[in-house]
Amino acid sequence: MQEKTLLLSLRPTFADLVFAGVKTVELRRSRPRVRDDDWALVYVSTPIKAVVGVIQVAAIIENKPSTLWRKVRKRAGITRRQFDEYYVGAPMAYGIVLNAVERFRKPVELNHIREVWPDFQPPQSYRYLDMRQRRLIRR
């Protein structure tokens, strides 16, 4: 079992693409500390504001932005323009290759999380949860 769990924050549009199986690579400007086969929780930002499911990491791809685009363009769920805007000024680009996804039947809403973890703040990009924190965010 993982010691720490990655909590990824996604915009609703991108989360829908991930759970529909269209977006199979999630892009990041910094490399998350996860290994192949680790699972990550998915928090969907406003207006959803809930942990909606989990994804399994197949691999992390690390390249210069132009090289990464050539590898993931058909799997990233964004246009080249969006990609370029996201990586402006970034020397390296990272892609989380997804192996499996599971959407929860009932999302864990932010209000519920804050009932048991009052000072919880959703991440802008991602954060790590220890085992105690992971238990607080349960279905």
Side-chain angles (χ1 to χ4, degrees):
M1 179 180 279
Q2 297 168 224
E3 279 186 39
K4 296 217 179 254
T5 298
L6 183 67
L7 175 63
L8 281 173
S9 185
L10 300 179
R11 292 183 181 151
T13 303
F14 297 132
D16 288 344
L17 293 173
V18 164
F19 289 107
V22 174
K23 180 176 174 60
T24 59
V25 176
E26 175 57 28
L27 302 170
R28 296 292 149 153
R29 289 178 59 99
S30 61
R31 188 189 196 290
R33 292 184 312 266
V34 291
R35 296 182 300 247
D36 297 359
D37 297 326
D38 277 356
W39 288 87
L41 290 167
V42 177
Y43 175 85
V44 179
S45 61
T46 301
I48 307 298
K49 297 185 195 176
V51 176
V52 302
V54 294
I55 59 173
Q56 186 179 35
V57 176
I60 300 287
I61 303 172
E62 176 179 341
N63 282 107
K64 292 180 180 178
S66 59
T67 303
L68 185 67
W69 174 252
R70 288 193 297 274
K71 291 183 176 189
V72 304
R73 67 177 173 235
K74 293 181 181 174
R75 303 182 292 155
I78 63 173
T79 66
R80 177 63 191 254
R81 182 178 179 172
Q82 290 171 309
F83 182 92
D84 289 343
E85 288 173 0
Y86 182 63
Y87 285 111
V88 165
M92 295 299 290
Y94 305 90
I96 304 169
V97 181
L98 310 180
N99 189 35
V101 298
E102 178 187 337
R103 186 184 288 265
F104 297 156
R105 282 187 293 259
K106 185 175 185 221
V108 183
E109 296 179 3
L110 179 58
N111 290 339
H112 172 74
I113 296 168
R114 286 188 172 151
E115 287 175 9
V116 294
W117 183 354
D119 59 344
F120 174 78
Q121 291 298 318
Q124 288 290 319
S125 179
Y126 62 84
R127 71 177 290 176
Y128 301 98
L129 304 174
D130 61 29
M131 291 176 72
R132 182 188 65 78
Q133 293 166 330
R134 187 173 58 214
R135 281 192 297 271
L136 293 175
I137 300 177
R138 62 175 172 239
R139 301 186 260 171

